Amino acid sequence: MIQIKKIEAFETYPIRLEILRKNIPLPYKFEGDLDNETFHLGVFKNEVLIAVSSYMKVKNKRFTGNQYQLRGMATLSEYRGFGAGKFMLQEAFSILKDFEIDYLWCNARIVAVDFYKKQGFQIYGDEFEVPIVGKHYVMFKKISND
Ligand SMILES: CC(C)(COP(=O)(O)OP(=O)(O)OC[C@H]1O[C@@H](n2cnc3c(N)ncnc32)[C@H](O)[C@@H]1OP(=O)(O)O)[C@@H](O)C(=O)NCCC(=O)NCCS
């Protein structure tokens, strides 16, 4: 059985470490992880956590209005392509709409750009390099008045 739940920051750390920080010596704990306005989503398959993502009230000067940043989106390799990432984003869009948020944005790794596009995100601006991790695009999704 598949379930999506709000989880605590510490529950995201093992998957962040395995999927997003393998051979990447950058912190797996993010500034803002424990902020009151931050929330974390997890997908469970038969009680096993298989995917995580985090949502933080961080403003990007490229956008106006109320904003959240998506961080730490990852699905364990063996569970990819079954909708876990999509389900988390759909849940987040619904929560953020209730919060009256205008934009959800993220720094998207090149390999994930098409995944985000499928969920309604658009690219903003030119690609940029994140040291050690590689090329990224800023991507955003308008949440309000969808
Ligand atoms: C990107 C990632 C989170 C997607 O998670 P997932 O649970 O496999 O995604 P879903 O199964 O919900 O996929 C939803 C749709 O996007 C597609 N998709 C998933 N990953 C994709 C990718 N990298 N490129 C293109 N399409 C992708 C799926 O085929 C599916 O399409 P469909 O709706 O037509 O069937 C996962 O591949 C991952 O953890 N990647 C490594 C970490 C990473 O790069 N994270 C993003 C950092 S910015």
Side-chain angles (χ1 to χ4, degrees):
M1 190 177 72
I2 297 278
Q3 276 185 304
I4 299 186
K5 289 192 239 174
K6 278 195 180 170
I7 58 175
E8 299 295 328
F10 76 87
E11 294 177 272
T12 69
Y13 298 159
I15 293 182
R16 281 188 192 169
L17 266 169
E18 180 175 338
I19 304 301
L20 297 169
R21 290 294 179 259
K22 206 168 227 169
N23 305 318
I24 296 180
L26 289 174
Y28 62 90
K29 297 180 182 180
F30 302 150
E31 198 184 330
D33 265 343
L34 303 177
D35 286 359
N36 283 338
E37 288 156 317
T38 294
F39 63 95
H40 307 272
L41 296 178
V43 178
F44 293 81
K45 186 171 164 52
N46 301 327
E47 317 286 317
V48 177
L49 184 59
I50 62 161
V52 298
S53 54
S54 301
Y55 303 84
M56 305 181 183
K57 197 155 198 283
V58 177
K59 218 169 163 62
N60 183 321
K61 61 180 182 312
R62 295 169 180 89
F63 309 115
T64 53
N66 296 321
Q67 304 166 30
Y68 260 69
Q69 180 182 9
L70 161 64
R71 296 199 68 184
M73 163 69 69
T75 302
L76 290 175
S77 313
E78 60 271 40
Y79 294 104
R80 289 192 191 150
F82 294 110
K86 177 167 73 180
F87 292 149
M88 285 193 294
L89 283 176
Q90 285 173 347
E91 179 69 12
F93 298 157
S94 160
I95 292 169
L96 294 171
K97 200 163 186 174
D98 287 346
F99 290 176
E100 299 188 342
I101 294 304
D102 298 301
Y103 291 100
L104 176 63
W105 66 274
C106 65
N107 292 323
R109 294 182 184 192
I110 295 285
V111 289
V113 163
D114 288 344
F115 162 74
Y116 289 121
K117 278 186 181 169
K118 277 200 160 175
Q119 310 316 316
F121 283 78
Q122 298 172 59
I123 286 177
Y124 185 100
D126 298 329
E127 69 173 37
F128 63 97
E129 188 78 18
V130 174
I132 311 173
V133 187
K135 293 191 188 342
H136 285 67
Y137 281 101
V138 171
M139 295 188 78
F140 70 97
K141 159 125 177 127
K142 186 147 178 20
I143 300 293
S144 54
N145 304 319
D146 259 6

